[in-house]
Amino acid sequence: MKHFRVHRRFFSFVQAVSLCILPVLAEAQNLPAPADRNQLSDFVVQQRADKLLKQMTTDEKIGQMSQIFVFGNGLSVEERIRSGRVGSVLFMTDPAQINHLQHVAVDGTRLHIPLLFGLDVIHGFRTIFPVPIGMAASWDPQMVERAQSVAAEEARAAGVHWTFGPMVDIARDPRWGRIVEGAGEDPYLGSAMAAAQVRGFQGQYIGSPNHILACVKHFAGYGAAEGGRDYDESDISDDQLWNVYLPPFKSAVDAGVVTLMSAYMDLNGVPATGNKWLLHDVLREDWHFKGFVVSDNEAVKSLQTHGFAKDSTDAAIRAFDAGVNMEMALGKTAYGENLPEALKAGRITISQIDDAVRPILEAKIRLGLFEHPYVDETLAKKTINDPEHRAEALHSAERSAVLLKNDGGLLPLQASRYKTIAVLGPLADSKVDTTGSWVFAGDSSETVTVFEALQQEVGAEAHVEYAQGVQIARKFPSPFDGISKVKKQAAWSESQSAEEFARAVQLAGNSDLTIMVLGEAQNMSGEDASRSSLALPGKEEQLLEAVVATGKPVVLVLMNGRPLDIRWASEHVPAILEAWYPGTQGGNAIVNLIYGKAVPGGKLPFTWPRNVGQVPIFYAHNTTQAPSAQDKRYWNEESTPLYPFGFGMSYATFSFSNLQLSKPEVKTNETLDVSVDVENTSEMAGDEVVQLYLHQQSGTSSRPVRELKGFRRVSLSPHEKKTIHFTIGKDDRTYWSSATKSWVIDSSQFDVWVGGDSTASLHGAFSVLP
Ligand code: BGC
């Protein structure tokens, strides 16, 4: 869409000329097939959309603005499509069923307008990649882009046109379950991941072969839900909103995202889905967004629940007026039920409706759906069985893992030393938990668990035995359990629980080494999965303590989407590997990492708290009263986190030196170059993520102690040294000031730190002159 805007300006210049001399252009019939078609010009797309709009009735237009789930509304989906009341259907994964409904729309409606099929393709379609928080931990936007383009290819092959991703909500409270779906706490890393995912899903332009539409969500502030409670209100200062929560959305818009989802919750007293300032002033006026906005599910009707709209008509009008183009709903849409009357009553205008529908039609035109509405039903099988996809998934899982601890060089394991290996924990042999939440089209039989991969790895060289040890479960069930078809294990009786626990500890005692896979089940993380505690669930902690007490070496592998309270483990377990929910190839990736066939190089995308009472805790806080007395913030606990933002170890070791700034002083709009040498000081090859942090010492507003403003993941051979360059530009020093209610760039002294995490100590300084 970057191209899109450039073209738009270009066409505003030539449009009049073209209209006179090239009228045939407007017809744009007989377009080539998507595979060999290039990006359609804005002019052609607009002309086609306008031509269609002229032929549409009001009901047909409002129909395009309605998106319904394929299940659960008690109404006949087909009937509604046939009557022209549906523009998009979500939650279908089967190409034959998709084609069937598409036929209903194309053959059965007056204007033959095809449907858009949407689905939450969050971290893979059939081949499942690590969950987004894990992919963010790779600090490798190119890898993330490739992963999402594989996801797009598989989804498109099944007939899906549109994903509801990426989720770019900044999350600083890990009690919030949806932290797993985003890139963590930092706006700079979050913005890089947002743009990479948009490029991955959408390709070079809207309608690129084998790609789909992206939908950046949830606009905006959902990650700041009070108390980490899902769907609760967010109260965000304008400083935090502009400087922290909005930048990843802006980055996605700049990367050309074509759709955006309005959030469920109330933002500073105005529900996001009825928030005209957000959806119109910021998004359309300020950011020049030209695509369309879809509401989150039932979020239009829920404007009444918020105590904002007085009835369903008011809800529809206010969401529509705020800028929601399409309403997502389980049952009837408030738009379908109310907007026709509202138009008749003069409460909205037909040109407003046209403006809302036009970008929806444009997206369908750009995707080539009018010429090629159906999917080749044999394509899905070929595409999703592509071994290259599995290789990408393996690579992604390896690059996403974060090594948190490795005392005495326990890892990588020396294979010959361990002839009997115990594999313990409820996640060690669970396919469904290895892939994580938001998996609807994956085939869990394709997923490789840690236990399976380990057996494969050691073959006849060692004996590997598994014991689950404990069961873990939510107190209240997840609404997703039914959808993701998770087979529930029957709950153990008290005596069975005691036996299983004892069997696991005994197995550890009789083995040379124990690999424990602990954390949270996949349904404990994600939507509707907030938690008031960060403890290891159930009796996992007790099992860990009992196993460590056997005195045998223990490797702890964590599968989770949020930081957990692992203070005890961090002191008593020699090796801890954060694997997230690593996806289809998860077990293979973990085994490769612990045996040294791959080297961990991921870094934490959030600050890891010691316990839940420290939450929210993030590195980019402001310096306030008594900064040198940081250890006095609590009397019962350190003020520092367990692991800082950006932290992660490797089997290799690295050193940083020779920090150089190209100039000691710059003018406000000038850039400067920062370079640093990073050296692998070990005998092993490995990756380091070089991170650059900036701090403004004084100004119109007070600024955070440090902020990430550059990073690069670098591979280094043993003893190799590389010089890494960063550019610090004007944008890196511009921020929103609550003092002036505007963007400012101050002249000030700046500190620069470069290193391997947010506590980096290699320091330089420069001044910005007026
Ligand atoms: C979630 C969205 C999701 C939608 C459709 C909602 O409950 O908040 O993130 O895209 O459902 O599945």
Side-chain angles (χ1 to χ4, degrees):
M1 282 279 279
K2 240 184 183 152
H3 317 277
F4 179 68
R5 276 203 300 281
V6 172
H7 282 215
R8 195 159 234 171
R9 276 198 291 274
F10 175 65
F11 274 99
S12 63
F13 166 66
V14 295
Q15 196 154 341
V17 182
S18 311
L19 274 171
C20 300
I21 59 168
L22 294 171
V24 282
L25 242 186
E27 287 303 312
Q29 298 303 330
N30 305 321
L31 291 167
D36 46 66
R37 200 184 63 227
N38 285 322
Q39 184 178 16
L40 292 176
S41 78
D42 296 344
F43 178 68
V44 167
V45 173
Q46 283 162 29
Q47 292 293 312
R48 290 190 66 187
D50 282 338
K51 191 174 166 195
L52 206 50
L53 272 171
K54 284 202 186 93
Q55 301 168 54
M56 291 168 80
T57 63
T58 303
D59 282 348
E60 283 166 344
K61 289 176 185 175
I62 293 168
Q64 287 300 309
M65 295 162 65
S66 298
Q67 179 186 56
I68 56 170
F69 277 81
V70 71
F71 53 78
N73 54 32
L75 300 164
S76 157
V77 173
E78 286 191 31
E79 209 175 287
R80 294 179 72 193
I81 296 171
R82 207 169 285 116
S83 64
R85 303 234 187 88
V86 180
S88 172
V89 175
L90 75 155
F91 253 81
M92 296 185 75
T93 53
D94 178 67
Q97 286 171 9
I98 287 177
N99 275 346
H100 173 71
L101 282 194
Q102 191 68 298
H103 270 290
V104 176
V106 174
D107 306 336
T109 64
R110 201 175 66 88
L111 294 171
H112 318 291
I113 303 177
L115 294 165
L116 263 184
F117 288 94
L119 182 77
D120 295 273
V121 182
I122 305 300
H123 53 114
F125 180 77
R126 173 79 167 258
T127 307
I128 305 301
F129 288 79
V131 287
I133 194 78
M135 289 207 272
S138 71
W139 294 57
D140 183 352
Q142 278 95 19
M143 179 211 91
V144 174
E145 182 177 336
R146 279 199 308 279
Q148 297 300 33
S149 81
V150 167
E153 188 184 344
E154 293 190 355
R156 186 74 201 243
V160 172
H161 308 131
W162 182 18
T163 178
F164 305 113
M167 186 197 95
V168 304
D169 294 309
I170 295 294
R172 293 180 160 187
D173 187 335
R175 290 173 297 182
W176 190 53
R178 304 195 77 169
I179 185 173
V180 66
E181 294 172 53
E185 76 179 43
D186 185 69
Y188 189 89
L189 180 63
S191 297
M193 290 300 160
Q197 293 187 78
V198 169
R199 288 193 301 266
F201 285 129
Q202 294 192 163
Q204 282 184 318
Y205 56 89
I206 308 305
S208 293
N210 306 324
H211 287 81
I212 56 180
L213 307 180
C215 178
V216 65
K217 69 187 187 186
H218 306 83
F219 199 52
Y222 188 19
E226 292 282 356
R229 291 179 292 271
D230 210 357
Y231 316 120
D232 214 336
E233 67 182 298
S234 296
D235 196 345
I236 308 177
S237 70
D238 64 339
D239 164 37
Q240 293 280 299
L241 195 59
W242 285 111
N243 294 317
V244 177
Y245 288 88
L246 291 180
F249 289 95
K250 174 70 165 55
S251 166
V253 169
D254 289 345
V257 75
V258 77
T259 77
L260 191 137
M261 186 183 289
S262 68
Y264 278 133
M265 62 339 113
D266 197 284
L267 172 67
N268 299 339
V270 182
T273 296
N275 198 319
K276 194 164 185 173
W277 171 78
L278 196 61
L279 298 176
H280 184 266
D281 299 2
V282 174
L283 185 63
R284 304 247 175 219
E285 295 287 320
D286 220 16
W287 295 356
H288 309 292
F289 176 68
K290 302 279 186 257
F292 70 89
V293 175
V294 62
S295 75
D296 204 337
N297 182 30
E298 296 285 310
V300 173
K301 287 177 216 147
S302 82
L303 294 182
Q304 268 182 276
T305 321
H306 283 263
F308 180 72
K310 71 170 185 287
D311 52 29
S312 165
T313 310
D314 193 30
I317 293 175
R318 289 172 81 178
F320 173 76
D321 192 50
V324 175
N325 306 62
M326 184 184 274
E327 177 185 354
M328 182 192 291
L330 274 168
K332 291 183 177 170
T333 60
Y335 277 12
E337 297 296 293
N338 299 290
L339 292 187
E341 280 304 315
L343 180 70
K344 277 187 206 139
R347 298 178 69 183
I348 58 172
T349 66
I350 193 69
S351 76
Q352 271 184 300
I353 292 191
D354 287 351
D355 288 347
V357 179
R358 191 176 292 106
I360 299 171
L361 297 176
E362 286 181 354
K364 292 182 177 185
I365 294 166
R366 285 185 190 281
L367 280 174
L369 295 187
F370 285 88
E371 297 76 31
H372 300 280
Y374 308 109
V375 62
D376 170 356
E377 288 171 30
T378 61
L379 193 64
K381 274 210 182 83
K382 285 181 232 151
T383 308
I384 56 191
N385 280 336
D386 191 337
E388 270 180 32
H389 295 183
R390 286 195 292 277
E392 281 290 350
L394 176 66
H395 180 69
S396 298
E398 289 169 356
R399 284 178 86 76
S400 298
V402 181
L403 183 64
L404 295 175
K405 191 178 175 195
N406 192 20
D407 273 6
L410 176 59
L411 297 179
L413 294 177
Q414 284 173 33
S416 56
R417 287 180 65 171
Y418 309 107
K419 293 293 169 204
T420 50
I421 303 174
V423 181
L424 307 183
L427 309 172
D429 196 29
S430 164
K431 289 178 187 288
V432 73
D433 293 311
T434 302
T435 48
S437 59
W438 291 110
V439 173
F440 303 113
D443 177 349
S444 67
S445 70
E446 289 167 3
T447 302
V448 183
T449 67
V450 173
F451 177 52
E452 288 168 343
L454 201 63
Q455 287 174 303
Q456 187 72 30
E457 169 68 26
V458 300
E461 299 297 307
H463 176 72
V464 184
E465 208 171 319
Y466 166 68
Q468 183 175 327
V470 294
Q471 281 188 313
I472 51 173
R474 290 171 55 128
K475 179 171 179 181
F476 303 111
S478 161
F480 290 92
D481 289 348
I483 307 175
S484 53
K485 299 183 201 97
V486 178
K487 271 202 213 102
K488 266 184 90 184
Q489 190 185 41
W492 294 339
S493 66
E494 229 172 90
S495 62
Q496 198 181 357
S497 299
E499 274 165 33
E500 292 293 341
F501 190 98
R503 192 167 76 81
V505 178
Q506 199 183 17
L507 182 62
N510 294 338
S511 304
D512 298 334
L513 171 85
T514 298
I515 297 170
M516 297 192 75
V517 189
L518 303 179
E520 294 183 326
Q522 59 82 27
N523 68 355
M524 295 176 171
S525 193
E527 186 176 354
D528 217 326
S530 289
R531 247 190 119 189
S532 67
S533 151
L534 296 179
L536 286 165
K539 293 211 163 110
E540 284 189 339
E541 177 94 21
Q542 286 95 316
L543 182 66
L544 181 67
E545 292 184 15
V547 167
V548 169
T550 64
K552 297 293 179 63
V554 175
V555 176
L556 172 60
V557 175
L558 291 170
M559 276 190 198
N560 48 291
R562 57 159 63 87
L564 295 169
D565 184 343
I566 53 163
R567 281 173 295 174
W568 190 88
S570 72
E571 281 172 27
H572 299 97
V573 179
I576 308 176
L577 181 71
E578 172 58 76
W580 317 105
Y581 299 105
T584 306
Q585 287 290 314
N588 288 336
I590 291 166
V591 166
N592 283 352
L593 288 159
I594 60 186
Y595 278 93
K597 292 182 175 173
V599 178
K603 300 277 185 169
L604 293 176
F606 49 64
T607 301
W608 193 300
R610 292 172 189 275
N611 66 16
V612 74
Q614 287 186 317
V615 163
I617 184 168
F618 45 90
Y619 81 94
H621 60 85
N622 285 11
T623 317
T624 59
Q625 177 70 16
S628 59
Q630 276 289 331
D631 59 338
K632 300 285 188 292
R633 294 285 197 231
Y634 300 109
W635 60 255
N636 67 321
E637 185 55 277
E638 318 283 322
S639 298
T640 54
L642 190 62
Y643 302 112
F645 173 81
F647 173 77
M649 299 167 69
S650 167
Y651 301 146
T653 49
F654 305 96
S655 75
F656 292 89
S657 60
N658 195 24
L659 181 65
Q660 304 272 351
L661 276 62
S662 59
K663 310 168 197 169
E665 294 173 346
V666 288
K667 297 226 174 67
T668 40
N669 56 0
E670 282 178 353
T671 57
L672 78 153
D673 180 83
V674 175
S675 66
V676 70
D677 292 346
V678 54
E679 184 176 357
N680 182 342
T681 50
S682 74
E683 302 301 327
M684 279 197 85
D687 285 7
E688 177 59 304
V689 180
V690 184
Q691 303 166 38
L692 180 145
Y693 294 87
L694 215 58
H695 171 235
Q696 177 176 323
Q697 290 186 359
S698 61
T700 312
S701 287
S702 46
R703 302 297 300 139
V705 287
R706 50 178 73 186
E707 291 175 285
L708 182 71
K709 291 294 176 185
F711 65 87
R712 193 87 34 83
R713 182 165 175 161
V714 193
S715 298
L716 293 161
S717 318
H719 300 288
E720 189 184 6
K721 190 198 258 189
K722 280 184 183 162
T723 303
I724 306 300
H725 290 266
F726 295 99
T727 304
I728 301 178
K730 186 172 140 229
D731 289 354
D732 298 314
R733 304 187 305 263
T734 304
Y735 66 94
W736 174 271
S737 167
S738 302
T740 56
K741 304 280 177 211
S742 63
W743 294 102
V744 299
I745 173 159
D746 290 319
S747 44
S748 166
Q749 281 286 114
F750 279 83
D751 298 296
V752 183
W753 291 272
V754 179
D757 64 49
S758 58
T759 64
S761 55
L762 191 60
H763 179 255
F766 64 95
S767 312
V768 176
L769 306 173

